[in-house]
Amino acid sequence: MDTASNAVFWQEKWERGETGFHEPQANPLLTRHIAALDLLAGAQIFVPLCGMSQDMVWLAGQGYHVTGCELSDVAVRRFFSDLGLTPAIVQAGPLRRFFAGSISILEGNIFDLTPGLLGPMDAIYDRAALIAFPEDLRRAYVAHLLSLTGPVPELLVTLDYDQSCLKGPPFSVSEASLRSYYGKAYTLTLLESRAVEGGLKGRCPASENVWRLSPLLPSS
Ligand SMILES: C[S@@+](CC[C@H](N)C(=O)[O-])C[C@H]1O[C@@H](n2cnc3c(N)ncnc32)[C@H](O)[C@@H]1O
């Protein structure tokens, strides 16, 4: 799949309201393990492929500055309207920046985002972003992410299951694959693994895993 077809796939999902991945509350793996990133108060956290995730609200509530990136205009507008906020909107190259308080979302394709548009980040939080991409785009996504932020600490939530049970997304990402994507830049530590209650989509036994990625080289 190329990045353009991937974008059409997700835009259509939002237009049809097929957003079963959305969680009404902050993900417990985030709230339990954010401390593992050892962040300073007011740190800048990048949330790639953010959807309308409540994780951003929770992170902002902890005193962090949050910058998301999301393709869908529907998701971005709903995120702010559900909070009762009217965001300011400015053009940011080929993307648009929506912002209110300490949350800013760059609406557009992450592959069009540049380090200059994003600004310096202290950490990354990825839930259901890496695993949203099919295998052939995952490596490109990881390389692009690294080019955007440099090697900053990351909290990464993935799923591991038998891929023959479900087509995906979400895709299964094994530990070996993760190490092949990130191993040159990061040390990977599994912080917690828990069974998905009732199985993934009620069908496939799966584990949800949270990883800490610690840079091998400090960012400049
Ligand atoms: C599985 S959802 C996860 C959303 C969010 N992280 C969460 O936990 O609810 C993946 C999201 O990535 C967005 N997306 C997919 N490809 C993208 C791209 N190339 N650039 C920006 N956003 C993208 C989709 O629109 C969708 O909202």
Side-chain angles (χ1 to χ4, degrees):
M1 185 185 269
D2 59 21
T3 56
S5 321
N6 176 71
V8 171
F9 171 86
W10 284 103
Q11 298 280 19
E12 288 179 354
K13 284 237 164 236
W14 278 101
E15 275 152 30
R16 290 197 295 258
E18 292 170 4
T19 54
F21 52 80
H22 178 69
E23 298 180 316
Q25 267 143 21
N27 188 292
L29 295 179
L30 167 66
T31 61
R32 279 207 286 278
H33 296 291
I34 186 73
L37 290 181
D38 223 359
L39 296 170
L40 298 175
Q44 298 277 356
I45 304 186
F46 182 41
V47 183
L49 280 65
C50 60
M52 43 180 280
S53 171
Q54 295 307 295
D55 295 342
M56 293 189 282
V57 179
W58 186 83
L59 284 166
Q62 303 303 299
Y64 301 119
H65 294 274
V66 179
T67 302
C69 177
E70 168 58 46
L71 259 181
S72 166
D73 171 72
V74 175
V76 178
R77 289 187 186 277
R78 254 187 72 190
F79 173 78
F80 287 108
S81 73
D82 285 1
L83 292 173
L85 296 173
T86 304
I89 307 172
V90 294
Q91 199 64 35
L95 294 90
R96 284 189 301 172
R97 185 187 298 275
F98 289 60
F99 56 100
S102 51
I103 303 181
S104 149
I105 300 182
L106 287 151
E107 181 239 304
N109 194 323
I110 194 168
F111 291 104
D112 292 332
L113 188 57
T114 62
L117 292 173
L118 179 63
M121 291 290 134
D122 300 307
I124 299 168
Y125 169 63
D126 173 332
R127 180 227 167 220
L130 177 73
I131 62 171
F133 287 115
E135 221 284 322
D136 53 353
L137 285 183
R138 241 174 269 148
R139 210 171 281 281
Y141 162 74
V142 171
H144 184 60
L145 200 54
L146 203 59
S147 78
L148 288 173
T149 61
V152 294
E154 176 169 342
L155 202 63
L156 170 62
V157 180
T158 61
L159 286 169
D160 199 348
Y161 65 93
D162 177 358
Q163 192 69 81
S164 66
C165 181
L166 258 186
K167 194 160 81 77
F171 296 99
S172 175
V173 177
S174 68
E175 175 169 353
S177 308
L178 264 190
R179 291 192 185 280
S180 80
Y181 304 145
Y182 287 102
K184 282 208 174 102
Y186 288 101
T187 304
L188 284 81
T189 310
L190 180 63
L191 300 174
E192 185 179 338
S193 178
R194 61 175 194 170
V196 174
E197 215 177 301
L200 190 58
K201 303 203 175 175
R203 277 192 274 161
C204 310
S207 58
E208 190 177 24
N209 302 324
V210 58
W211 297 85
R212 184 186 62 218
L213 276 55
S214 307
L216 290 171
L217 292 173
S219 61
S220 52

